[in-house]
Amino acid sequence: MTHKLMSAILAFRLLIICVWAGILLIFGYVAATQTAFTSDYRVYFAPDNPELLAYEAIEQEFASDDNVLIAVAPQSGDVFTPDVLALVAQLTEAAWQIPHAQRVDSLTNFQHVRAVDGDIVVGSLIENPRTMPPGELTAAREISLSEPTLVRRLISETGQATGIFVTLNFPGDDHRAHVPETVGYVRSLVDEIRREYPDLRIALTGTAIISHALDEMTVRDLMVLSPFLYVVLFGMLTVLLRSVSGMFVTSVIVTVAAVVAMGVAASLGILLTSASVVAPIIILTLAVADSVHFIASAQDARHGGMGKIEALRESMRINFEPVFLTSLTTLIGFLSLNFSAAPPFRDLGNVTAAGVIIAWAASITLLPAMLSYLPLPSSGRGPVGARAMARFADFVVKARWPILITASLVAALFTGLAPLNRLDDQVIEWFGERTAIRQDTEFVTEVLTGPYRMDFAVDAESEGGVADPAYLRDLDAFATWLRAQPEVQHVDSFADVLRRLNRAFNDDDERFYRLPESRELAAQYILLYEFSLPYGLDLTTQLSFDKSASRLTVTMGRISSAETRALKRRAEAWAAASLSHAEISQGSGTAVMFAFVSQRTINSMLAGTGLAFLLIAVTLILALRSWRLGLLSLIPNTLPVVIAFGIWALTVSQIGVVASAIAAMTLGLVVDDTVHFLSKYHRARKEHGLNVHDGIRFAFEHVGGALVTTTMVLVAGFSVMTFSDFLINWQMGVLTVITITVALVLDFLLLPALLMFFDREKFCSCATCRAIEA
């Protein structure tokens, strides 16, 4: 079959080149004009994700949770100076002009309730700060630092920093244009203030800033890492293949695979995210492996005295089946990502799978067609000399028992270490330490307020029920319990508003800083307070339209995913056991969603990885026509990822959502070396009638060098991902490099030892083999 295929390719080689050129132009145009990015963090959650549904339910009942926080910290360490407060007032006023701003809260426009000559006055806490008498400024400081609604939310405990919190309301569901518009305006505003006030530290954070940072990270990784990968890969190929024409043809193949795959993705409406943007990088790396095997085999054939066309035919004959198998197993691995609960990983799997198919098709058609027109030098001694491979094969045969024992001990050790990895996803730590968003958010967390929020809808179960004293006591008890939790920095509860109102309506007597004693009184307070509030600062962010529920917001500092999940469960359990007149919703918020996504995604991928494992095993058994070799191959194919996680536990110990994808993804990759080695071994045994040792020697001599070359290329390619400032991509790169490296070691040491162990009854007893064993 391969002979006929090669004859057809050579007969229509010019047509094949033209067809592929046309395909490249068409899909390249589609990729260039229709590829779109999304900066919406919600893409990490499936539409039926329980935490996302709870989050959206609270947004529908109350206000949107999208926000921007502008933190201001003077070098003097005191924000209560006329100049700083004037700047805060200026920023507060300017923030209303931010596109899609729905509400602006700050120290200066905080609606303070006080009694004045028997009347109740509701107004901004700080007005005209430059002309405020020192006594009023001191009073404003005392009020601010004693007000639970403000401290650790809009003012630090010592008054060293303050914040302007902007609530956003983006229209529709597609925010690709709205988020950049908002963030661009905010950055321009802040840059202008920074130039005017160089002695102030102004930091930006919030969900909109984080979302846009994810978008910028996506574009950076695509625009910077992809060209860098080209330089690394083809520099290595030129050296390893010792062929400029081989390097050129490989560059064409990988470009076709990556560009056409991205064109297919764009035509299907797949949006690139910070996780799926590495698909072109992975495709470029994987496509190289197919080309290397074809070119290296053709060079070896040329070294053996064949002409160029005969060498291409021979390369096609010996590589068609193993390259097809490696492409198929890689395809299975990446397609299994469709089981992931996180849509970006599904997109990563599907786009990469498309690239794998295209790379295989181009390798068996376009590559020989192009090489037939170009010089094809012989391999000489090759990247790794055949004699060195033969000596290494003899070493493995002689040391097979120590290798088996050592490999078993190492596998047991790292298998035991793997479960010690701590699953944790903190969105802020997805960004590298040198990024502005990471630095600003950590600064704000240190001096002002935490970046993570958890919202509860506390239901009174009746219209106007938020005024019921029994409900308010439950609400206040829940807030008090939450404030006592070590993870919590601030709790924003409607009960605090009614406390302030009750005190104000009783001539600011501190003895009345408590909840109203009757429903009618509380309802009256709420009504009068609502009428007194200015436009944009109403109670819609805290109360539902029919006053049947209130929103309670918990702010947390640096908190791990496990701690977030534990806090949510403790809060819900406490409320279920302790509240009798109020019912809380599930805790929700971006922190909660990301805290659960790793766990949920890993659980969803267990089935996907298991199915991929089964399909790959069946594929190898059928392809090798040997259940023994097929089952045997599973050992060196599963151990690499287990050992990689063990090494990770020993060196890093913390891992996030990428853990769900890495097992399935690398399973398809590490099979490649095993397939090529077993294919050559099987051919040596069946076609040439060699014994076990000579079969292993044959495999090392004919494919060992190519496996070293492809592994070096894969390691170099995935190492490029470690230059990403996005933690998920960095972790994916490092774990894949470790897994691929371990896989080569196992295929060179453990796999031959296993072959000799399971084929020991057929092992040759000739004098040569006995001498080697001795």
Side-chain angles (χ1 to χ4, degrees):
M1 185 186 74
T2 57
H3 181 79
K4 292 180 179 179
L5 175 63
M6 194 63 198
S7 297
I9 290 171
L10 294 174
F12 299 99
R13 53 185 177 173
L14 184 58
L15 176 62
I16 289 171
I17 293 172
C18 292
V19 168
W20 276 108
I23 292 172
L24 179 62
L25 288 174
I26 293 170
F27 284 97
Y29 175 78
V30 173
T33 58
Q34 296 184 25
T35 296
F37 305 88
T38 180
S39 56
D40 191 351
Y41 57 86
R42 302 183 200 208
V43 298
Y44 281 90
F45 311 97
D48 60 348
N49 180 282
E51 288 75 39
L52 176 63
L53 294 176
Y55 178 77
E56 292 177 339
I58 287 184
E59 281 198 322
Q60 289 172 3
E61 190 166 12
F62 305 98
S64 167
D65 192 46
D66 291 314
N67 58 75
V68 168
L69 177 62
I70 306 172
V72 178
Q75 289 183 356
S76 64
D78 185 13
V79 301
F80 290 97
T81 65
D83 287 343
V84 175
L85 291 176
L87 171 62
V88 173
Q90 177 187 343
L91 275 172
T92 302
E93 188 66 26
W96 286 103
Q97 304 305 314
I98 294 173
H100 312 294
Q102 182 183 32
R103 179 187 177 105
V104 180
D105 290 286
S106 74
L107 191 63
T108 56
N109 77 347
F110 173 70
Q111 296 304 291
H112 180 52
V113 186
R114 60 191 184 276
V116 179
D117 298 329
D119 292 328
I120 300 301
V121 177
V122 179
S124 297
L125 176 62
I126 299 172
E127 294 182 309
N128 304 315
R130 291 190 188 277
T131 59
M132 284 181 69
E136 290 186 17
L137 202 59
T138 301
R141 178 190 181 93
E142 292 175 353
I143 293 170
S144 300
L145 297 181
S146 62
E147 175 52 55
T149 305
L150 294 177
V151 177
R152 294 298 286 170
R153 178 173 175 259
L154 295 177
I155 185 71
S156 63
E157 293 172 309
T158 60
Q160 69 182 107
T162 187
I164 297 93
F165 190 87
V166 185
T167 302
L168 305 168
N169 186 18
F170 296 122
D173 297 324
D174 188 352
H175 302 159
R176 280 180 288 169
H178 306 138
V179 173
E181 178 188 15
T182 296
V183 174
Y185 187 96
V186 172
R187 286 177 175 173
S188 298
L189 173 64
V190 168
D191 287 343
E192 184 178 338
I193 297 297
R194 283 170 175 159
R195 287 192 294 269
E196 190 175 349
Y197 297 89
D199 59 333
L200 293 179
R201 171 72 187 268
I202 301 180
L204 288 176
T205 187
T207 58
I209 305 295
I210 293 171
S211 290
H212 191 58
L214 286 172
D215 200 5
E216 292 176 320
M217 201 71 68
T218 302
V219 175
R220 177 195 173 276
D221 280 357
L222 184 63
M223 296 293 105
V224 175
L225 297 187
S226 295
F228 180 49
L229 177 63
Y230 263 98
V231 175
V232 171
L233 288 184
F234 301 121
M236 288 186 63
L237 286 174
T238 302
V239 174
L240 294 173
L241 293 177
R242 300 179 183 181
S243 170
V244 175
S245 59
M247 182 274 292
F248 170 72
V249 172
T250 302
S251 68
V252 172
I253 299 300
V254 300
T255 300
V256 167
V259 171
V260 175
M262 295 308 294
V264 171
S267 63
L268 294 176
I270 295 176
L271 300 176
L272 287 185
T273 63
S274 45
S276 61
V277 73
V278 296
I281 297 173
I282 296 175
I283 293 168
L284 286 171
T285 306
L286 296 179
V288 168
D290 292 348
S291 301
V292 164
H293 283 289
F294 278 115
I295 294 172
S297 294
Q299 287 180 321
D300 286 343
R302 290 278 286 150
H303 182 66
M306 289 187 182
K308 182 171 65 174
I309 300 301
E310 289 73 17
L312 291 174
R313 290 183 188 276
E314 176 64 10
S315 178
M316 178 69 73
R317 186 184 73 83
I318 63 177
N319 283 301
F320 182 85
E321 183 177 358
V323 168
F324 172 76
L325 282 177
T326 57
S327 298
L328 179 59
T329 54
T330 303
L331 183 71
I332 291 171
F334 279 99
L335 286 178
S336 70
L337 292 178
N338 281 284
F339 283 83
S340 174
F345 287 105
R346 300 178 199 167
D347 294 338
L348 173 63
N350 291 330
V351 175
T352 306
V356 169
I357 295 172
I358 296 159
W360 173 77
S363 295
I364 65 170
T365 56
L366 180 60
L367 184 145
M370 292 183 66
L371 281 178
S372 66
Y373 285 109
L374 297 172
L376 181 63
S378 66
S379 59
R381 290 184 60 184
V384 179
R387 286 177 294 179
M389 286 287 102
R391 287 195 298 269
F392 186 80
D394 292 340
F395 161 76
V396 172
V397 170
K398 185 176 181 179
R400 62 186 180 278
W401 287 111
I403 288 172
L404 278 173
I405 295 170
T406 303
S408 299
L409 293 175
V410 170
L413 171 65
F414 286 104
T415 300
L417 290 173
L420 299 180
N421 281 296
R422 181 166 51 91
L423 190 64
D424 190 17
D425 264 312
Q426 296 185 49
V427 180
I428 298 306
E429 294 188 358
W430 283 7
F431 301 96
E433 294 181 354
R434 62 184 179 181
T435 58
I437 182 63
R438 172 81 176 266
Q439 294 173 358
D440 278 2
T441 302
E442 290 185 340
F443 173 76
V444 172
T445 302
E446 180 183 352
V447 302
L448 182 58
T449 189
Y452 304 119
R453 296 175 18 146
M454 185 184 301
D455 288 319
F456 295 92
V458 186
D459 194 356
E461 300 180 346
S462 65
E463 185 174 342
V466 296
D468 186 343
Y471 167 83
L472 290 172
R473 284 193 294 272
D474 274 2
L475 177 64
D476 191 50
F478 188 39
T480 301
W481 181 86
L482 284 166
R483 289 185 178 112
Q485 305 311 302
E487 306 94 336
V488 175
Q489 288 190 350
H490 181 267
V491 178
D492 189 18
S493 168
F494 182 65
D496 295 329
V497 175
L498 283 173
R499 273 204 179 89
R500 295 202 314 269
L501 291 172
N502 196 41
R503 179 180 59 188
F505 275 92
N506 287 277
D507 295 324
D508 285 338
D509 188 339
E510 288 296 331
R511 293 177 299 171
F512 288 88
Y513 187 68
R514 60 176 186 259
L515 296 172
E517 296 178 354
S518 72
R519 178 167 182 159
E520 292 74 18
L521 186 60
Q524 184 181 4
Y525 287 169
I526 295 171
L527 181 63
L528 291 174
Y529 185 57
E530 280 190 303
F531 279 134
S532 303
L533 292 173
Y535 175 77
L537 294 177
D538 53 33
L539 295 175
T540 55
T541 58
Q542 281 191 300
L543 298 182
S544 62
F545 179 75
D546 62 355
K547 307 293 190 296
S548 65
S550 68
R551 180 183 197 167
L552 186 144
T553 301
V554 181
T555 302
M556 303 161 290
R558 294 179 67 91
I559 181 172
S560 69
S561 295
E563 291 169 334
T564 302
R565 293 192 297 269
L567 175 61
K568 175 180 179 290
R569 291 177 181 131
R570 291 203 317 271
E572 291 170 356
W574 186 92
S578 306
L579 305 183
S580 56
H581 296 85
E583 183 177 346
I584 70 165
S585 68
Q586 287 188 49
S588 72
T590 54
V592 176
M593 292 191 292
F594 281 106
F596 279 86
V597 70
S598 300
Q599 194 175 56
R600 195 176 299 281
T601 304
I602 286 176
N603 291 338
S604 67
M605 278 304 300
L606 289 175
T609 305
L611 179 61
F613 186 86
L614 177 62
L615 290 176
I616 289 174
V618 172
T619 299
L620 293 180
I621 291 171
L622 293 176
L624 296 172
R625 300 173 185 87
S626 168
W627 65 268
R628 177 180 293 182
L629 290 181
L631 294 177
L632 188 68
S633 69
L634 298 181
I635 298 174
N637 288 338
T638 54
L639 283 180
V641 68
V642 176
I643 293 175
F645 277 116
I647 294 172
W648 190 269
L650 199 61
T651 55
V652 180
S653 78
Q654 179 177 313
I655 195 166
V657 68
V658 72
S660 66
I662 201 71
M665 191 178 80
T666 56
L667 180 62
L669 295 178
V670 299
V671 169
D672 291 9
D673 288 355
T674 308
V675 166
H676 281 287
F677 191 94
L678 287 178
S679 175
K680 297 300 184 290
Y681 172 80
H682 190 61
R683 188 159 66 91
R685 299 277 280 155
K686 297 299 181 182
E687 292 184 13
H688 300 285
L690 301 179
N691 58 51
V692 174
H693 167 245
D694 286 339
I696 290 171
R697 183 189 181 100
F698 181 91
F700 271 111
E701 290 178 345
H702 286 79
V703 81
L707 293 184
V708 171
T709 300
T710 55
T711 299
M712 291 175 65
V713 170
L714 288 172
V715 167
F718 282 98
S719 294
V720 169
M721 293 172 61
T722 65
F723 290 94
S724 174
D725 282 322
F726 188 57
L727 181 66
I728 289 179
N729 294 342
W730 181 86
Q731 287 182 341
M732 188 181 296
V734 173
L735 276 168
T736 306
V737 165
I738 295 172
T739 304
I740 291 171
T741 304
V742 171
L744 181 68
V745 173
L746 294 180
D747 282 326
F748 270 29
L749 294 174
L750 180 61
L751 180 58
L754 287 172
L755 288 171
M756 287 180 282
F757 179 79
F758 284 100
D759 276 353
R760 62 187 184 278
E761 73 277 5
K762 298 178 183 178
F763 195 81
C764 182
S765 59
C766 68
T768 303
C769 290
R770 288 199 305 271
I772 292 173
E773 288 188 86

